Amino acid sequence: MKAKSPRVRWFEDIGRSDVPLVGGKNASLGEMVRNLGQQGVKVPPGFATTADAYWQFIKANGLDSKIADSLAALEAGRASLAEVGAGIRQEVLRGNWPQDIVDEIQGAYRELCRRTGGGDVDVAVRSSATAEDLPDASFAGQQETYLNIRGEKALLEACRRCFASLFTDRAISYRRAKGFDHMKVALSVGVQRMVRSDLGGAGVMFSIDTETGFDKIVLINAAWGLGENVVQGAVDPDEYQVFKPFLAEPSLTPIIEKKRGDKAKKMIYAAEGDHPTRNVPTSKAERASFVLDDREILRLARWACAIERHYGQAMDMEWAKDGQTGELFIVQARPETVQSRREASTLRSYRISSKGRRLLTGLSIGDAVVAGRVCLIESPQDIARFVDGSILVTRATDPDWVPIMKRAAAIVTDHGGRTSHAAIVSRELGLPAVVGAGNATEVLHDEQEITVSCAEGDEGFVYEGHADFESTEIDFTKLPETRTRVMLNMANPAASFRWWRMPADGVGLARMEFVVSNHIKVHPMALVHFDTLKDESARTAIAELTAGYADKTEYFIDRLSRGLARIAAAFHPNPVIVRMSDFKTNEYAGLIGGSGFEPKEENPMLGFRGASRYYSPRYREGFALECRAIRRLREELGFRNVVVMIPFCRSTKEADRVLAVMAENGLRRGENDLQVYVMCEIPSNVILASSFAERFDGFSIGSNDLTQLTLGVDRDSAELAELFDEQDAAVKWMIRNVIDEAHKVGAKVGLCGQAPSDHPEFAEFLVDCGIDTISVSPDSFPAVKQRVAQSEKARSAGPREVSAAR
């Protein structure tokens, strides 16, 4: 049976052009059923009632005049919003269905039951508002959804409740604020086979990074049970990130982030009672495991790309996994409306110079910093006492909170992920928010002075008191082109996406040790020798961190490869030079389980560090884990733009030993386009530059160590601070010489350090030497880029005084 009447339409008979007839939500479902099924995208079958069915119901019950009179009373101030909304909803719920609409809805439901195997099928009943003369109007989140509806009588009652939800207080307020005519807005009801995600899982997916607009990833949030908890921000979900450009290559697994959420509860079907769903606690096993496996994550990501391609824009989607069949489905898709419309040529950057004690950590929404006073509100009933311009602190938000969210300076919530209601609304309003902070409503109190920082990566922080900070706006369109490549120094994977729009030529220094100390936290040798570890507190901490990993060393490889992948993804296909770990022994000893594996040294700066560790029995197994992580990063995740760099390599003999150990662990220079660089930070690297260049593809000058060792000055000594000078003639001789010698044999040379940022004349000197790359911190990039361009222009203008360092 295929309904011909305009009152009921099957999904396969509607598309994007039918928004005035069935609303945006149902039109999008029809569009996907009609056009994306052949690409493997699954959408549960169903049908929609039309705007005509709504108007016929309203007129048959004489409700049009009653609704108009009630709304006129509201506008005249003769009745309150609550009174008017409740009155109209009661009138709608008392209305009777015209028999011809009953016949069509029941007929369509019977056909849906037949198509899905017979017997009364459970359905999801969703509202989809529409206005014929406002086809682009968004009514998202204003009307109700009813899940786990079974049988013809229950379906008709759910449809009636959807009609009534057109007049919730928030829906009336929204239309008044937008200036929409209430009597020109209709409601379509989508009836869709229920996916048994109560036995599986569900969530939300974006084809763009929701915070930075980075358009090369798919972001997926997932929780056990029905998806409403993810949308409402009632749980802290799993988060997965997938790099889109590699999805077409079946041999790769480009999942660059897998973060396990707490998922403390799940929404399931209720056995009986007025409410068809209820929340129950999740099991320990569910909280400790991921909702989706890698194969499922990649499938959803490929669907997201297919949907994005079809619509020609970034998309916001909801998905569900049937726990009985294991099938995945897309249950909703709409255009993403925040990041995809953001001005792409400018970036506002924040820098915090001093701050108070860190009080809370959560997920950062937005990229700003705000200081202000707390207004703690735990219940929607207390919304009236919100103080304009305060920082709203609450457990979670839903559409009822929007009026005060608009008046807040920032928002902090206990629960929620990047796709929760609080996150989405904060993003739309341009407010910084820290969501999923855990216990904000317990830690913070009314009128407390705090600073909310969302400018430090994908983690957001709440600091005590008013932090000192400044902001600057970077206009990328005003940055000149340069022959010398200007790259970035990066350490924190969480912050890397913030800089994807910056026209950098790649990453000149990605510091592995930051990922190890902040994302792994455990000494690699303590993972290799976990079974014989004697430190009980370390064993306990390691066991907690590595929960879910059968092999403790896999924890290190997995976390390190994915952490570095986020940096590599942000700047792909430009080169990303990853320096292998360069901790000193005292820093290694500070890692969990590290003290038993490190010698105590009087001068760690000149001790057991860099290359000397990699072939030593003391650390060789730990270095093997680093190599395996890099190999996975390049060969399984797909980031062949990653270049390996060896720090503090004292001799060519040591270089040969390190390269041999790397080869043993699957990293052979030249194989699969692998380039290996060496840090130039020891005078021997300069003296034997041509010999080092035979073994490495390039040099990266570490100006701090090179200055220290050339001048014999402890860079940490306050007494000798005035002698530590990167522009000393001896240091400049070293730099010019290594560039000349390397270029003779075709090796590249770069410099990573702050000197070009702090001293314009130093940038000019480097350009004069013909250096290939200069790598600086992101906030210094615009100024250095300008200085390099000026230096290149001056150099090409003609002869001038030659530096004495030559």
Side-chain angles (χ1 to χ4, degrees):
M1 172 242 175
K2 184 173 284 191
K4 302 295 184 183
S5 165
R7 300 185 192 93
V8 171
R9 296 281 291 271
W10 289 93
F11 287 158
E12 58 263 34
D13 297 327
I14 53 180
R16 272 189 284 187
S17 61
D18 294 309
V19 171
L21 188 68
V22 294
K25 190 181 297 183
N26 290 329
S28 181
L29 288 169
E31 182 74 18
M32 289 189 290
V33 168
R34 289 170 67 174
N35 296 286
L36 294 173
Q38 65 269 31
Q39 296 185 45
V41 178
K42 288 187 177 182
V43 177
F47 58 89
T49 67
T50 64
D52 292 336
Y54 169 80
W55 289 122
Q56 186 176 340
F57 177 90
I58 293 297
K59 290 172 181 174
N61 288 282
L63 295 177
D64 43 354
S65 59
K66 293 179 182 178
I67 292 171
D69 291 345
S70 296
L71 292 170
L74 173 64
E75 295 302 326
R78 298 193 304 273
S80 69
L81 173 61
E83 291 170 337
V84 168
I88 295 175
R89 291 194 299 273
Q90 282 300 317
E91 291 287 350
V92 174
L93 292 172
R94 282 196 290 262
N96 294 311
W97 286 101
Q99 189 56 47
D100 54 346
I101 298 181
V102 170
D103 292 343
E104 290 187 25
I105 292 176
Q106 288 181 338
Y109 177 69
R110 290 168 192 155
E111 171 64 9
L112 181 62
C113 294
R114 187 192 67 78
R115 293 184 182 186
T116 53
D120 284 352
V121 64
D122 295 333
V123 291
V125 182
R126 294 186 167 91
S127 307
S128 186
T130 181
E132 187 170 354
D133 55 346
L134 294 166
D136 297 322
S138 171
F139 299 96
Q142 301 302 320
Q143 284 77 46
E144 301 296 339
T145 291
Y146 300 97
L147 305 176
N148 193 27
I149 303 301
R150 176 183 292 187
E152 296 172 10
K153 182 179 178 182
L155 173 58
L156 289 169
E157 181 57 30
C159 290
R160 186 164 25 219
R161 288 162 69 187
C162 284
F163 285 175
S165 76
L166 194 57
F167 296 96
T168 60
D169 294 356
R170 65 174 178 262
I172 296 172
S173 296
Y174 175 83
R175 292 193 295 271
R176 291 177 76 191
K178 294 291 186 181
F180 297 160
D181 186 340
H182 300 281
M183 302 310 294
K184 290 186 177 179
V185 178
L187 194 129
S188 166
V189 179
V191 179
Q192 192 173 26
R193 193 196 93 194
M194 193 76 198
V195 178
R196 290 305 304 268
S197 58
D198 62 311
L199 304 176
V204 179
M205 174 167 65
F206 284 83
S207 66
I208 190 172
D209 181 51
T210 53
E211 305 319 309
T212 66
F214 183 42
D215 57 3
K216 291 182 181 178
I217 68 157
V218 174
L219 171 70
I220 304 172
N221 276 180
W224 299 111
L226 304 174
E228 305 305 305
N229 280 339
V230 177
V231 175
Q232 294 167 6
V235 296
D236 301 323
D238 291 346
E239 180 172 310
Y240 318 116
Q241 294 177 8
V242 184
F243 191 59
K244 291 193 287 190
F246 295 163
L247 282 169
E249 176 50 64
S251 65
L252 300 178
T253 308
I255 302 170
I256 63 174
E257 173 77 317
K258 284 181 72 176
K259 188 183 298 179
R260 189 167 54 240
D262 185 47
K263 309 181 294 291
K265 60 184 176 181
K266 63 179 178 179
M267 186 178 287
I268 62 170
Y269 293 162
E272 55 188 28
D274 294 334
H275 297 286
T277 61
R278 64 189 179 99
N279 273 310
V280 298
T282 48
S283 67
K284 286 183 179 180
E286 288 172 323
R287 290 195 293 274
S289 59
F290 288 110
V291 174
L292 298 173
D293 61 29
D294 288 359
R295 180 180 51 83
E296 292 166 332
I297 293 167
L298 294 174
R299 180 178 301 163
L300 283 176
R302 290 188 175 102
W303 287 359
C305 292
I307 295 168
E308 181 182 65
R309 279 195 303 272
H310 179 75
Y311 281 86
Q313 62 192 113
M315 297 296 287
D316 166 2
M317 297 146 281
E318 294 179 23
W319 61 270
K321 178 183 176 180
D322 193 305
Q324 289 182 326
T325 66
E327 293 176 286
L328 291 169
F329 294 93
I330 299 295
V331 296
Q332 196 171 142
R334 61 179 82 81
E336 194 277 339
T337 58
V338 179
Q339 291 295 345
S340 54
R341 298 179 182 179
R342 190 174 180 177
E343 173 56 52
S345 63
T346 61
L347 174 71
R348 181 160 291 280
S349 175
Y350 290 79
R351 187 177 69 85
I352 300 176
S353 53
S354 67
K355 59 200 175 191
R357 180 170 57 97
R358 185 188 296 176
L359 302 175
L360 295 161
T361 301
L363 296 173
S364 69
I365 306 302
D367 54 12
V369 179
V370 165
R373 287 186 175 181
V374 169
C375 187
L376 176 60
I377 297 182
E378 297 192 56
S379 167
Q381 282 72 43
D382 298 328
I383 281 176
R385 70 174 187 81
F386 182 74
V387 180
D388 286 5
S390 297
I391 295 172
L392 173 63
V393 177
T394 188
R395 290 192 181 95
T397 67
D398 61 30
D400 290 327
W401 292 78
V402 172
I404 66 166
M405 294 173 78
K406 292 178 179 178
R407 292 151 45 202
I411 296 168
V412 182
T413 68
D414 287 345
H415 305 295
R418 295 192 192 284
T419 57
S420 64
H421 177 269
I424 289 170
V425 173
S426 297
R427 224 173 269 126
E428 290 174 348
L429 296 174
L431 297 177
V434 176
V435 301
N439 58 345
T441 53
E442 296 175 14
V443 172
L444 304 178
H445 60 79
D446 268 339
E447 300 187 17
Q448 182 178 4
E449 301 281 354
I450 62 170
T451 299
V452 174
S453 172
C454 296
E456 301 174 66
D458 61 4
E459 282 191 320
F461 304 107
V462 177
Y463 299 111
E464 193 170 50
H466 278 238
D468 293 326
F469 63 91
E470 58 185 27
S471 68
T472 55
E473 187 166 276
I474 304 168
D475 186 346
F476 300 140
T477 62
K478 296 180 179 178
L479 294 178
E481 293 286 333
T482 58
R483 177 198 61 78
T484 308
R485 290 181 297 154
V486 183
M487 307 171 82
L488 299 181
N489 296 334
M490 299 293 299
N492 185 1
S496 57
F497 290 174
R498 290 188 62 217
W499 308 107
W500 74 275
R501 285 190 172 100
M502 189 171 275
D505 294 305
V507 175
L509 173 62
R511 297 181 176 93
M512 180 185 287
E513 54 271 15
F514 182 96
V515 182
V516 174
S517 60
N518 290 273
H519 292 258
I520 297 172
K521 302 178 181 178
V522 183
H523 195 292
M525 294 296 283
L527 294 167
V528 173
H529 297 284
F530 178 77
D531 292 339
T532 58
L533 201 61
K534 293 182 172 58
D535 184 338
E536 285 303 321
S537 63
R539 284 180 62 87
T540 301
I542 293 171
E544 290 176 0
L545 286 170
T546 60
Y549 290 90
D551 180 352
K552 303 296 181 190
T553 61
E554 173 60 22
Y555 165 78
F556 185 94
I557 297 165
D558 181 56
R559 299 279 289 181
L560 182 56
S561 61
R562 293 193 204 278
L564 294 171
R566 297 186 69 188
I567 299 175
F571 300 95
H572 185 273
N574 288 322
V576 171
I577 302 171
V578 176
R579 184 177 68 191
M580 305 303 273
S581 68
D582 192 27
F583 288 120
K584 286 69 174 180
T585 50
N586 57 321
E587 295 167 334
Y588 267 115
L591 295 172
I592 297 171
S595 59
F597 295 97
E598 297 299 329
K600 288 183 170 56
E601 296 184 303
E602 291 298 323
N603 188 356
M605 188 73 75
L606 293 177
F608 186 48
R609 63 173 288 204
S612 62
R613 298 180 62 91
Y614 302 159
Y615 56 86
S616 166
R618 272 185 173 271
Y619 189 73
R620 187 173 181 140
E621 293 165 302
F623 183 63
L625 299 187
E626 295 181 27
C627 292
R628 288 166 62 188
I630 294 292
R631 184 177 181 184
R632 179 174 298 179
L633 172 65
R634 286 175 48 83
E635 297 181 13
E636 295 180 30
L637 277 69
F639 292 99
R640 297 283 180 89
N641 59 321
V642 166
V643 176
V644 172
M645 183 157 67
I646 303 302
F648 221 76
C649 188
R650 294 172 169 95
S651 68
T652 55
K653 181 180 179 182
E654 192 163 65
D656 293 336
R657 286 181 172 181
V658 171
L659 291 170
V661 175
M662 289 176 61
E664 289 172 14
N665 288 283
L667 294 179
R668 192 180 301 277
R669 179 185 169 213
E671 199 170 278
N672 295 321
D673 302 319
L674 174 65
Q675 294 186 59
V676 184
Y677 280 29
V678 65
M679 289 290 292
C680 177
E681 50 196 343
I682 306 170
S684 62
N685 301 142
V686 180
I687 296 165
L688 296 178
S690 59
S691 297
F692 276 99
E694 292 172 3
R695 293 161 170 82
F696 296 102
D697 299 285
F699 296 82
S700 181
I701 299 167
S703 55
N704 284 339
D705 272 343
L706 186 60
T707 301
Q708 174 176 243
L709 297 174
T710 299
L711 300 180
V713 175
D714 183 351
R715 73 191 206 194
D716 295 327
S717 170
E719 295 296 324
L720 302 177
E722 66 178 87
L723 297 176
F724 186 88
D725 182 8
E726 291 165 305
Q727 298 196 80
D728 184 276
V731 179
K732 293 173 81 171
W733 183 92
M734 288 281 187
I735 292 172
R736 186 181 291 279
N737 203 62
V738 76
I739 294 172
D740 289 344
E741 290 300 312
H743 283 175
K744 287 177 184 177
V745 293
K748 298 172 184 173
V749 185
L751 181 140
C752 48
Q754 277 302 107
S757 311
D758 300 335
H759 307 290
E761 67 276 16
F762 193 70
E764 185 177 353
F765 163 72
L766 294 173
V767 170
D768 184 63
C769 290
I771 199 162
D772 298 293
T773 64
I774 297 174
S775 187
V776 296
S777 61
D779 57 349
S780 302
F781 179 87
V784 171
K785 188 77 168 172
Q786 296 278 9
R787 288 169 188 165
V788 168
Q790 291 165 6
S791 299
E792 290 181 349
K793 184 177 180 182
R795 190 184 188 205
S796 63
R800 56 187 178 78
E801 184 179 342
V802 179
S803 168
R806 189 182 289 277

